[in-house]
Structure formats: structure tokens, C-alpha cells
Amino acid sequence: MKIGIVCYPTYGGSGVIATELGLGLARKGHEIHFITYRRPVRLAHFQANVFYHEVDSEDYPLFEYPPYDTALASKIVDVVHYQNLDILHVHYAIPHAAVAYSKKILLGQGRYIPVVTTLHGTDITLVGNNRAFAPVVEFSINKSDGVTAVSQSLKDDTLSLFKIERDIRVIYNFIDFERFRKTNKEHFKKIIAPNGERIVAHTSNFRKVKRVEDVVCIFKKIVEKVPSKLLMIGDGPERQNCEQLCRELGIGNDVRFLGKQDAIEELLAICDLFLIPSESESFGLAALEAMACEVPVISSNSGGLPEVNIHGVTGFLSEVGNVTEMAQYAIQLLENEEMLAQFRANALAQAQRFDIENILPEYEEYYREVIRKSVNKVE
Ligand code: GMT
């Protein structure tokens, strides 16, 4: 198939999933066309049947905001037409509602392009916080030929927030074990934890919703009982406050802020525990990445996290904000070598359920189904 992928190209999970999906499909022989305003972070190397089309929405002195949606719609029309795509896969209803324009324009040219939209969460929670976006998100979902959600919880939230006229297929996020697996990085470990301390990690884009200050508060309680180090991986709006809090709590020397990292798997390989206390999380790809590297997870129980992290098996889950309980669970695990080893094995086994090798065929099958149903469609 010739597949166009429209995504948000940043370090966020949706961009990662869109890119890895495209690369995986390309390995299986499909021709993949990424359409986005910047090269996606994980699209680093040349691959024969992968193409990248940059959306160029230059600033124009007359306009206060660059007209990104218009530029995107035009680029989609161009790529679908000249590359003769079979299907478009759009990651996020917002900001990619512009796809609806492209469909109409192409229809005027006698071309029906089927569109699959994958919901990743933030577009849905955005509407939860601001109803002003609801009509556009609802329209994008209802006008798609196929809609997928990355967890059952996100599907349920979408159905309760919007008037949805079509079926939503749950296709879970996935992990590539070629890359995410436990490898021997003892030399890193010696630098970060020279006295054999436990290593705890958190990865995110440091948005408010990630509750990074909870990560610090949990760690403060951990380090009082178990000699440990905390790796804070990623960057974003809350990083500064978080660093300040570490200083105020007197744990600055035990916490390393590493910023955005490309080879996260090399850091996860030396970790004993992963913390993700998010306020809302449609899936929690970061938790899955940790589990694939045999790292148990202490998380909140929000959104899709309970579908990934299994309480008492791969880690523990608590109510959002219950840092005391999360710290107790963490200490319980870190102090018990046997239990930790069992949870590590369980985390890996659970992550294997989300192996890219199992999930890619689900997308391929779904594309075929959507294309089949779109034949002879005129609206
Ligand atoms: O969580 C973020 O801030 C990033 C966001 C994104 O758009 O990349 O992540 C969302 O999509 C990921 C991939 O499907 C999920 O693993 C995250 O749980 C989801 N984030 C939220 O729902 C807040």
C-alpha cells in the first residue's frame, strides 16, 4: 500500500508511534509518505521506501499567525495526488482537522482518499478542558473513514465526550524490541550510581499533566529509606519548577536532569524503577518503554495506564496525587531483591503483548478494511 502519515513530529508519544508505525510498515514493503512541518525525531536514517514531505507554513507579514492548517491541507492534496496514495493515516484530530478540506478538494478532482484518524488522548482531554474545540474534533472523527484509539479508556472517554457516529477500533500502542530491551550498560550505572544506589527514572515532556513535582516528592520519600538516584529525562514547561523543588527539598545531588535524549533505552537499561504519576494519560507509552527494558512501574491509575501497568504484577497503581502510597510501593519493591526480580520479569512479559510484530498487522488489516469500504464512495 501507499500510505500517507500525518503527525505531530515532536518528542511526544503520538509522533513516536506515528514514525515507528511508518518505519515498520516500510520494512514490510509498504511505501510511506510522512507529511509534517518538521522531520519527526525518530525519522533519522535513509530508508528506500520512506518519503518525507515538509509542510511549509511561512510567516507572512500580514498575518499574526502562520496559516498552518491551510498549508497542511494544500500539501496533503499535492502528495495524495502526485504520489497516488491509497490511504491517509492522521495522528490526532487536532491539529489535523485540515485533512477534511483536502478530502473535499480531492473529491472535486474525482479522487476519494480514505482517511484513518488515530486518537492519542491530548485532543480528547483538550476538549475536556475547553469545549470550544468540540465541534472540530467531533467533525474530524465523524468524517474519518476509520477511527482508532490507543486504549479502551480513550475510546470510552471519546464516546462519552462526543456524539460519535462511527465505530472506534482499539489498536494499542506498541514497542519495538529490536530497540527497547535490557542491554548491559554497567559503565553508565557506575557513573550515575557509583555506590550501588538504586536508579529511578521518569521520562516526559514536563507538561503540568505529567505531575513532575509528584515525581520529586515520591523520590524524596524513597531516598530517605533507600539510597537512590533519580534520572529526569525530557524537557518542558515544568522543568524549572521541578529543579527548584529538588533544591528546596535538599535532594539536588541525587537528581539528574538529562533533558531530551534520543537513546532513552540505554538509560532505561540501568534503571530499577520508573515513575509516571500523570493526571491523565491515554496509554503511557513511556511506561511501556520502561517495561520493555525490564523496569517495573509505579503509576497513577488514570486513563489507559491500568491497561499497560498491572497492579501488583508489573508495578503498582495509586490514585492521582497519592504520593505517599506511591512512595510506599516504590520502597517495598526497591528493598526486596526477589520481588523486584519477579516484577522485572513480569514487566517484560506484559510489554511483549504490545510487540510491534503483533500490532502492525492489526493496522495493515484495518487499512485494507477501510480501503475496501471506501471503493465507489463519493462523499
Ligand atoms: O502525553 C503527552 O504530553 C504527549 C502525547 C502526544 O501527543 O504525544 O501523548 C499522548 O499520546 C501517547 C501515544 O499514544 C500516549 O502514550 C500518551 O498517554 C498520550 N498522552 C496523554 O493522554 C496525556
Side-chain angles (χ1 to χ4, degrees):
M1 281 177 273
K2 289 187 171 193
I3 304 160
I5 294 186
V6 183
C7 66
Y8 212 61
T10 60
Y11 276 81
S14 69
V16 167
I17 285 294
T19 314
E20 300 287 356
L21 174 64
L23 294 175
L25 291 166
R27 283 195 294 275
K28 294 185 89 174
H30 300 287
E31 187 177 298
I32 304 300
H33 293 264
F34 287 100
I35 306 171
T36 175
Y37 62 83
R38 200 186 309 133
R39 181 179 61 78
V41 176
R42 291 206 183 165
L43 192 64
H45 306 289
F46 172 78
Q47 213 169 304
N49 43 348
V50 174
F51 300 83
Y52 165 53
H53 308 269
E54 191 159 296
V55 180
D56 187 12
S57 67
E58 266 178 29
D59 256 339
Y60 187 69
L62 187 64
F63 305 137
E64 204 170 334
Y65 304 105
Y68 176 67
D69 288 13
T70 310
L72 175 64
S74 304
K75 182 58 92 181
I76 291 172
V77 170
D78 181 77
V79 177
V80 170
H81 190 77
Y82 288 99
Q83 304 294 339
N84 202 16
L85 299 189
D86 297 308
I87 192 161
L88 264 182
H89 187 173
V90 177
H91 293 262
Y92 265 146
I94 283 184
H96 297 135
V99 168
Y101 292 125
S102 327
K103 267 187 95 158
K104 278 261 178 235
I105 296 168
L106 286 157
L107 211 54
Q109 299 171 358
R111 177 91 160 74
Y112 188 91
I113 181 78
V115 172
V116 168
T117 297
T118 288
L119 304 172
H120 282 276
T122 305
D123 34 12
I124 305 306
T125 41
L126 195 71
V127 170
N129 296 329
N130 186 349
R131 288 302 298 175
F133 291 105
V136 176
V137 173
E138 201 167 272
F139 176 81
S140 303
I141 296 173
N142 284 331
K143 288 294 170 197
S144 295
D145 300 271
V147 182
T148 74
V150 298
S151 65
Q152 183 61 43
S153 141
L154 181 58
K155 174 176 173 172
D156 296 343
D157 286 351
T158 308
L159 292 176
S160 71
L161 269 164
F162 304 99
K163 281 199 209 81
I164 300 300
E165 295 156 4
R166 54 181 60 257
D167 182 42
I168 298 178
R169 176 83 52 96
V170 174
I171 301 185
Y172 282 108
N173 282 335
F174 51 80
I175 191 86
D176 185 351
F177 282 92
E178 289 282 320
R179 176 172 171 191
F180 284 91
R181 61 198 153 87
K182 191 166 173 59
T183 48
N184 186 348
K185 295 284 168 201
E186 277 306 307
H187 52 296
F188 278 4
K189 197 166 187 153
K190 286 211 178 85
I191 298 167
I192 290 164
N195 302 310
E197 295 91 339
R198 294 290 196 196
I199 303 180
V200 180
H202 169 78
T203 324
S204 76
N205 50 17
F206 285 60
R207 290 197 297 131
K208 264 245 175 300
V209 74
K210 303 295 173 181
R211 296 186 68 101
V212 278
E213 293 189 355
D214 282 6
V215 173
V216 173
C217 293
I218 297 166
F219 181 72
K220 163 81 175 147
K221 290 178 189 296
I222 295 175
V223 82
E224 282 166 2
K225 293 271 184 235
V226 184
S228 311
K229 298 288 178 185
L230 173 64
L231 301 181
M232 294 293 271
I233 306 164
D235 214 332
E238 292 302 310
R239 175 179 169 163
Q240 198 57 47
N241 291 344
C242 208
E243 287 202 55
Q244 184 58 32
L245 181 63
C246 290
R247 288 175 202 144
E248 284 165 17
L249 294 175
I251 53 172
N253 289 338
D254 293 318
V255 185
R256 268 189 188 223
F257 286 83
L258 297 173
K260 291 175 181 163
Q261 295 282 326
D262 285 328
I264 292 175
E265 66 280 9
E266 295 186 357
L267 295 163
L268 290 172
I270 59 165
C271 291
D272 299 295
L273 197 63
F274 188 80
L275 303 178
I276 175 166
S278 308
E279 176 98 45
S280 103
E281 201 71 71
S282 69
F283 181 88
L285 186 63
L288 178 59
E289 290 179 343
M291 286 160 61
C293 296
E294 301 177 35
V295 184
V297 173
I298 303 291
S299 71
S300 69
N301 58 6
S302 72
L305 280 168
E307 293 169 65
V308 180
N309 185 24
I310 311 299
H311 187 72
V313 178
T314 62
F316 292 101
L317 296 94
S318 299
E319 293 293 328
V320 173
N322 193 344
V323 292
T324 305
E325 189 180 86
M326 290 186 207
Q328 280 164 355
Y329 284 138
I331 294 163
Q332 193 184 335
L333 255 179
L334 293 174
E335 282 184 337
N336 185 337
E337 200 65 60
E338 211 176 304
M339 188 182 186
L340 184 59
Q342 184 59 57
F343 273 57
R344 280 184 181 282
N346 296 346
L348 174 62
Q350 166 72 352
Q352 280 162 345
R353 294 184 50 212
F354 301 94
D355 190 331
I356 188 170
E357 300 299 329
N358 304 329
I359 308 289
L360 274 194
E362 289 190 38
Y363 274 113
E364 285 176 291
E365 185 43 41
Y366 192 58
Y367 292 158
R368 287 196 194 97
E369 203 179 303
V370 167
I371 292 172
R372 242 186 346 259
K373 286 187 184 152
S374 303
V375 173
N376 298 330
K377 262 197 181 175
V378 286
E379 218 188 336

